[in-house]
Structure formats: structure tokens, C-alpha cells
Amino acid sequence: MKSKIILVGLACLSFGTIVKAQDLIKQIPEDAEMIAAFNVKDIVQKANANKLNELLQKAGFFEKSGISASNDIKNLGVDLSQTAYFYTRKTDSISFTEFIFPLNNKGQFEKLLHEAGEPKAFANGYLSVGLKPGSMLVYNDRIARFISATTNTTFLDNDSIASRYGIKKVDYVARPSDDYDAWADTTVAAVDSVAEVWDEDEKPLAVPVAPPVAIAVEPDTIAAAATEVLPPVVDIAGVDAVEMHDPSYYDSLYTAYEDQNRKNDSIRTDLRDKWLMNEVTRLLSGSYKSLSITDQEKVLKNLGLVRLYVPRVEDLYRGLMPYTTSLPYYYMGIKLDKFKTGYQDGLLDLVQEGNVLKLKGSVGLDKSLAEMTKRMYARKPNSKFSKYLTDKTLGFFNVNINSEAYLREMPAYMAKYYSGLLGPQQDVIEWGLMALEIALDEKAIAQVMPGDHLVVVNGLRKFKKDYIDYTYDDDYNATEVKKTKEETLPVFIWMFTSKDQRLIKKGLDMAVSKQVGQVYDGIYAFSKQKAKDFPIYVFLKEDLVMVSNDSLSLNDIRQNKMNAPANKDFVKLMKQNKMSAAIDLQKLPTMLEEMGVTPGKQWEATLEQLNQYGSTAITSKGVVGNRAEVEMSTRLPQTSDGAISYLLDQILVELNKM
């Protein structure tokens, strides 16, 4: 009976925590572009609260905030048991960012704000504190919200929109000292601009410019049929030639230029502040749609330390592209608004698993793209690759693509997602892609190179390298001298499966017949060119093609002398993923030493610590469900507190050196 009561209690506690987290996340608008969630409780627990306090003390946080150095983060008034959020929201005219975090003691929190000024009543029970220009902090008994705004400069670069808000462009044209006629021609534009700025009865040089008053401040919409107002043309003949030679006239142009720019900057600042005030009022009044339940669940479900969530990857991707209205794209017929990626939402998680720190990323794919991608990556690595991942392996890279499916699917993919960019030329592009699809013999190509590749770096070796030097006689005439030196470099082998090696072998034999290369015991050698490069060797073994910079390694493989024990971790990574890459950090210090690389003193301690690290890996299982997944992991030295605590220890060590 007692166990049941305990289980019910734990369930209620868990439910209460979820409700709190969901209550805060409801403050985020549905059109947020990017959202970050911080699992504060987990971060503090895994980082070790005592170490966080020590870090903040050494960084001077408590002193700068006016808090006793003996205090700790628990006395900041911030609720460390809940989730904090950060998000961005963008319109065509302005970008907003907001950081939302929970409070459990408003009085303690207000002590942090004493240097920012006296809090003032704002709205809906919130107090406000003015911080740096373009930002506000508002808070009540249980929540604090830091909101900032940045005007999108491209929005006001449009002349018709700029004039709508009273922003006027004026060009300043300097007079050349030796070319009056050329200057007189270009001055027309400057005089026109001045005429655009000032009314006839204004005297700009005698009266200081007053601060502007912006009338329309709605940032989200633009009049679609806005008509650009062109400045009146002023006849240069109306300006007396004597006046144009007068330095005071030259000064007046510069003064008008500076005055108008100050006026424009003032309007931009005023617009930003008013738009920020409107946004804060809107947020606190709750007059907006919250993030959808589906998106809330994606932010909170199985939350690790930190999660970055992008609800609409395609919109974000399109926003990073060049201006959709730029003239070059317009005249080329490219319509970036028609661009499609097939991507949906994106996730990036920071997770700690013992002494392993992981970044896990995934992106949702639409049904068509998910099925297409699965077909393109429907291939497993060649099982024969495993024997080449040994305890001598410093690092490797493996990728497995189904070449036949890739060649068959890519034209259809390009036609569906990219052809819409070119508007009237869309049918031509689709025709060309269809022709490419017909011309390619996917099955034949897939026999030559099915698509599984492995690159292995197995230690180091000394190589003799030829290079060109020069000697000079008494008259400084240069003579080429061929010299040789030794260099220690990583040994690599690139291998791939090839069921049909006829084309490759014929090409190698042709190179030998034309004296471009040589063949010894089945190993093809291609000499260095112009004494700059190392030789490259090719060996065909069973259904594998191997390319290396080291003939000794290939000769060992030819004679089946690869008897080193397998690196089980690397083999496991390769077999379980569509793509994998890893490096054994423990071997890195020895490798650098053998190569003669001597890092500075500031890196010596770091390199020594690498002997305690494990491997760093990047892996991808391809498409799972409808999501393309990728993961990066680093195995840090084993400690009782885990990876985050270890990183804090390293930061504290560096701070103690200062």
C-alpha cells in the first residue's frame, strides 16, 4: 500500500513539473522561428552546483551584481527546478529575441537589477527595467522576460517603404579639385537630393533638425502596391556657377547630408523602440496564439540538457538565402520564393551520458523525400572493411550510398525541389534532368562503384620527398637543384567495393602503357609530378579497390599480413551506421610528436590530457521514420560527476591561471 502511495506521489510531482514547463512554454508565440529550451535542473545537477558557484565567484559575477561572494546561485531568485526558454521571431521589418526564465523569489532577483535603475509598473502586473537600447526586462512574481529588437535594415532600404516612414535618402557628392565639368554633372543628383529633403521655405543650415515623429509603426505588413515617389528633377542651370564654386555651397551640401542622416537614424531608432513596446505589450496581454501543442511536445519530450528546435526549417533556410527581390535573380528568372527543400522541423540536443557528451541532430522530411532518401542510403558497409580497422587506426571515415538508387532518384529530386526556382525555364530544366536519367546506366555504374567507401588513417610513416631548390651565381642567375628530404606523414588507405573492375583495371593498364605509371606485383604506382607530390598506389583485391600513399601497407594487404587486433569500437560504429567518422584522441599527442609538430606552451597541458580521452565520432543512421539523424559524441576522461562537471573543472583550472 505504501509503495502505491509513493508511486502516486511521484507521478503527481512529475505531472506538476511538466505543467510548470508547459505553462512557461505557452508564453512563446506560434510563429517563433527558433526555440531553445534549457533544462536548468539537469544542468545544475550534472554540472555540480558547488562548481557553478565557484565558477561564478571567480568570474566576479556576485561582486558585479552587488551580491555577497558567499552567496550562491540558489539566492539569485531564479527557480532552478524549471525549464528556461529562448526564442526568436522575425517579421519583414524587425527581429525579436526573448529569454524567458522562472523566478521563485522576486525580492532576491531585484537585487540583481539595482544598477539598471528603479523598476517601473508596466502592464498586466509586470514591472519593467530599461536596459541597453532596443531591449527591455519585464518581470512579475514568477517569471522574468528579457526582450530585445533589431530592425531589419533591408526593410527600410526600399525607397517607397522608407518614404512611408519619413526616411529620405540623400547622396553627398564631393567636388573634384581639377574637374569642374565632371563635378557639375554629378552635382545634379546631390542637388536633387537636397531638394527632396527640404521644403522651399526651410533653412536647413540655420535651424537644427528636430527629432522625427514616426506615424505608422506596424512592422508586420507592407502595402503591396506601394508607389515609389521619385524626387523632382532640378535644373543645374538654376544654380549659379559662382555659387557652385563658393566653399560655403560645398559645405551646405555636406551639412544637409549629415543632417538628413541624423534624422533618418532617429526615425529608425524611434521605430525600433515603438515596435519593441508594441511587441512587449502584445506578449504580456496574451493577445497571440501560443506555440502549438505538437511543437510544445517536440520541445519538451525527452529533453536533455539543452534543445534547439526549429519548427519550420524551410522558412529558416529561405531566410538565409540572398534577397528574393534582388535584380540579378529577377533578370535570371530565378524565383527563390518557389524554392523547396522537403525539410520540416529540426532538432539539436546537447546530452550527457556519463563521461560522454553528445550533440544529437535530426530534421523531419516530407513523405516523398523520406522515402527517396531511404532508397538512396539502403546499403550496408562491406563486411570486409572491418579487418582494416585495427588498434593502429588513428581515425576513419565510412559512408554507404546506394549508387544505383542515387543516380535514379537524383534527377527526380532536382526536378521536384529545385526546378521551380527558374520559372519559365522550369520545363527546360525538367527535360534536361530526364535526358540525364535516360543517359545514365545506373545498374552498370553501381557494379563499378556501388557506393560504400572507407578511408582509414593507420599511423605514421617517414616518406622521402623530392623538392626543388635554387642556387645563385655571382650574377644572381638561378639554377634548379633537385633535393630530397624526409617527412613524417599519416598513412591512409581509401577503399571501395567494385563488383565489376574491368573499367578501372583497363584505365590503370592504359596509364602503365603510356608510361604514366608502373605496376609491381599487382600494385600500380603513379609517380609524383614535378617533385611536389607523393606517389599514389592502387591495388585491386577481390571486390575491393584500394588507393593509398603507402606501398608497404598495400603490400602487407597483398600478402595477408594485416594481423593487428581489431578496434572493436570503430568496427561497431562502422557497422551500425550509414555514415561514420571517428578519431582516437589518445593517439593524437604521439602522432603530433612523431610529425615534429610542437604546439605552444599553452597547449602542452591540453595535449597531455588527451591521453585520458576516448574517441570523438560523427555518425548517422540515415533516415529513421521520417527523420534524418546525425550525432556527434566525445568521450571525456572518466570522473565521478560526468562530462559537464569535467569541463567546468578545466575552465576553473584556466581561471586559476589568470
Side-chain angles (χ1 to χ4, degrees):
M1 182 66 181
K2 287 183 179 179
S3 61
K4 289 183 179 180
I5 293 174
I6 292 172
L7 288 173
V8 171
L10 290 173
C12 291
L13 180 62
S14 174
F15 178 75
T17 303
I18 293 174
V19 168
K20 282 185 176 181
Q22 289 179 339
D23 187 44
L24 282 178
I25 201 173
K26 288 178 182 176
Q27 311 296 325
I28 301 176
E30 68 170 352
D31 58 347
E33 185 179 49
M34 191 181 299
I35 303 159
F38 302 87
N39 188 341
V40 179
K41 180 180 179 180
D42 225 25
I43 293 172
V44 172
Q45 181 181 350
K46 286 183 166 60
N48 188 316
N50 292 330
K51 289 181 182 179
L52 279 176
N53 282 330
E54 185 181 353
L55 177 62
L56 292 173
Q57 288 172 14
K58 291 185 181 298
F61 171 77
F62 295 118
E63 289 80 0
K64 292 174 183 177
S65 302
I67 301 173
S68 170
S70 62
N71 279 341
D72 62 28
I73 55 176
K74 295 178 182 177
N75 296 329
L76 299 180
V78 178
D79 190 342
L80 302 179
S81 67
Q82 292 193 51
T83 305
Y85 300 94
F86 171 87
Y87 74 88
T88 63
R89 189 179 84 84
K90 186 168 68 174
T91 71
D92 50 9
S93 55
I94 195 163
S95 297
F96 297 106
T97 62
E98 181 177 7
F99 183 45
I100 309 172
F101 52 97
L103 302 179
N104 60 8
N105 190 317
K106 186 176 77 169
Q108 288 180 334
F109 178 71
E110 285 182 320
K111 291 180 181 179
L112 301 174
L113 309 175
H114 70 283
E115 292 184 0
E118 195 69 26
K120 298 178 181 178
F122 187 75
N124 298 90
Y126 281 84
L127 298 172
S128 70
V129 176
L131 300 176
K132 64 179 183 179
S135 64
M136 286 181 65
L137 174 67
V138 293
Y139 64 96
N140 58 19
D141 292 339
R142 67 180 191 86
I143 184 174
R145 311 177 69 156
F146 175 75
I147 308 165
S148 63
T150 306
T151 305
N152 298 337
T153 55
T154 55
F155 176 74
L156 294 173
D157 284 344
N158 184 297
D159 291 341
S160 60
I161 295 173
S163 63
R164 165 182 159 192
Y165 292 111
I167 295 175
K168 300 178 181 179
K169 295 183 180 180
V170 55
D171 295 323
Y172 172 68
V173 182
R175 174 179 58 180
S177 58
D178 58 349
D179 191 353
Y180 168 77
D181 292 333
W183 177 79
D185 291 338
T186 56
T187 305
V188 176
V191 175
D192 289 349
S193 298
V194 175
E196 166 73 358
V197 173
W198 308 106
D199 294 331
E200 289 184 357
D201 56 349
E202 283 185 320
K203 297 180 180 180
L205 302 182
V207 183
V209 177
V213 177
I215 300 172
V217 293
E218 287 298 327
D220 297 337
T221 56
I222 306 175
T227 303
E228 185 174 0
V229 180
L230 298 175
V233 178
V234 176
D235 188 356
I236 190 65
V239 181
D240 186 30
V242 176
E243 183 182 355
M244 294 175 68
H245 279 292
D246 189 345
S248 64
Y249 179 76
Y250 173 82
D251 293 340
S252 71
L253 288 177
Y254 179 76
T255 303
Y257 172 78
E258 288 294 301
D259 286 348
Q260 185 59 46
N261 277 337
R262 281 193 293 271
K263 182 177 180 181
N264 291 343
D265 290 342
S266 181
I267 292 174
R268 292 188 186 99
T269 300
D270 191 56
L271 284 172
R272 181 201 64 198
D273 293 344
K274 287 187 177 182
W275 289 341
L276 173 62
M277 188 67 68
N278 290 347
E279 178 73 359
V280 175
T281 302
R282 186 178 77 101
L283 290 171
L284 301 188
S285 66
S287 58
Y288 60 91
K289 286 186 178 180
S290 298
L291 203 63
S292 70
I293 298 298
T294 301
D295 285 335
Q296 291 182 37
E297 290 177 350
K298 287 183 178 179
V299 172
L300 294 174
K301 186 177 181 180
N302 300 325
L303 177 63
L305 298 174
V306 181
R307 172 169 292 165
L308 181 66
Y309 175 58
V310 180
R312 295 164 296 278
V313 172
E314 193 162 279
D315 289 351
L316 180 65
Y317 197 97
R318 190 177 288 115
L320 296 175
M321 299 182 76
Y323 306 139
T324 57
T325 56
S326 61
L327 289 178
Y329 285 97
Y330 177 81
Y331 284 113
M332 289 168 60
I334 296 177
K335 298 182 178 180
L336 295 181
D337 58 324
K338 301 294 184 182
F339 177 73
K340 294 186 296 182
T341 63
Y343 301 144
Q344 296 175 336
D345 61 288
L347 286 170
L348 183 64
D349 285 323
L350 177 64
V351 179
Q352 174 183 303
E353 295 178 1
N355 66 320
V356 179
L357 205 58
K358 293 185 176 182
L359 269 177
K360 297 182 176 182
S362 69
V363 60
L365 310 177
D366 65 29
K367 183 178 179 181
S368 176
L369 182 57
E371 292 175 352
M372 186 184 300
T373 306
K374 286 179 181 178
R375 290 192 292 268
M376 290 193 291
Y377 289 88
R379 183 172 184 82
K380 295 180 180 180
N382 191 325
S383 59
K384 296 176 183 177
F385 286 169
S386 301
K387 70 172 70 175
Y388 304 106
L389 296 174
T390 70
D391 61 356
K392 296 180 181 180
T393 302
L394 172 67
F396 79 95
F397 170 73
N398 170 243
V399 65
N400 303 282
I401 299 171
N402 187 322
S403 296
E404 181 181 345
Y406 193 87
L407 293 171
R408 185 175 59 248
E409 301 285 356
M410 279 308 293
Y413 171 78
M414 296 292 292
K416 179 172 182 178
Y417 293 101
Y418 288 89
S419 61
L421 286 170
L422 296 178
Q425 286 74 39
Q426 178 174 345
D427 54 348
V428 178
I429 299 299
E430 291 178 349
W431 179 86
L433 291 170
M434 184 182 295
L436 179 64
E437 183 179 359
I438 294 171
L440 292 174
D441 187 342
E442 301 96 348
K443 291 186 180 297
I445 294 174
Q447 286 295 310
V448 177
M449 188 180 286
D452 48 0
H453 299 263
L454 176 68
V455 178
V456 183
V457 178
N458 281 329
L460 302 168
R461 186 156 290 168
K462 292 184 183 294
F463 292 90
K464 288 185 178 180
K465 179 178 180 180
D466 296 332
Y467 68 99
I468 300 297
D469 200 358
Y470 296 89
T471 59
Y472 299 89
D473 59 21
D474 294 338
D475 296 325
Y476 299 100
N477 296 313
T479 303
E480 279 191 4
V481 179
K482 189 176 181 179
K483 295 184 177 181
T484 303
K485 64 178 179 179
E486 270 195 348
E487 285 192 11
T488 303
L489 293 173
V491 173
F492 78 86
I493 304 175
W494 165 39
M495 61 189 77
F496 59 89
T497 303
S498 179
K499 298 290 185 181
D500 185 350
Q501 299 178 354
R502 291 175 300 168
L503 184 65
I504 297 173
K505 190 174 188 312
K506 188 172 181 63
L508 294 172
D509 291 337
M510 188 185 303
V512 172
S513 68
K514 294 182 179 297
Q515 299 182 341
V516 177
Q518 295 175 309
V519 59
Y520 304 97
D521 295 328
I523 298 175
Y524 294 85
F526 296 92
S527 302
K528 44 194 172 293
Q529 300 294 322
K530 299 181 181 179
K532 291 182 179 179
D533 307 314
F534 292 99
I536 290 295
Y537 304 94
V538 181
F539 177 53
L540 309 180
K541 181 179 174 64
E542 298 172 355
D543 63 347
L544 294 179
V545 176
M546 299 184 180
V547 181
S548 178
N549 63 342
D550 180 33
S551 61
L552 296 179
S553 294
L554 294 184
N555 196 52
D556 287 344
I557 293 173
R558 185 183 67 82
Q559 299 181 52
N560 296 316
K561 291 182 178 180
M562 294 284 292
N563 298 319
N567 186 321
K568 294 181 180 179
D569 290 338
F570 283 0
V571 171
K572 184 178 179 181
L573 285 175
M574 183 196 69
K575 287 185 174 181
Q576 293 183 349
N577 295 280
K578 300 294 184 183
M579 184 280 293
S580 55
I583 181 171
D584 188 344
L585 295 178
Q586 290 182 338
K587 292 184 173 67
L588 196 57
T590 303
M591 188 195 79
L592 293 176
E593 184 179 347
E594 290 181 12
M595 291 178 66
V597 177
T598 53
K601 290 185 177 181
Q602 68 272 24
W603 294 103
E604 286 180 358
T606 303
L607 280 176
E608 289 176 4
Q609 289 173 353
L610 288 180
N611 289 320
Q612 307 170 41
Y613 282 59
S615 59
T616 292
I618 300 176
T619 61
S620 173
K621 294 186 181 299
V623 178
V624 180
N626 73 323
R627 305 191 70 81
E629 297 182 350
V630 67
E631 177 179 300
M632 179 178 179
S633 63
T634 298
R635 189 175 297 278
L636 300 177
Q638 187 73 51
T639 62
S640 58
D641 292 329
I644 296 293
S645 180
Y646 174 81
L647 290 178
L648 282 183
D649 285 336
Q650 303 313 303
I651 295 173
L652 288 170
V653 168
E654 295 301 320
L655 288 175
N656 287 331
K657 293 179 182 178
M658 298 172 65

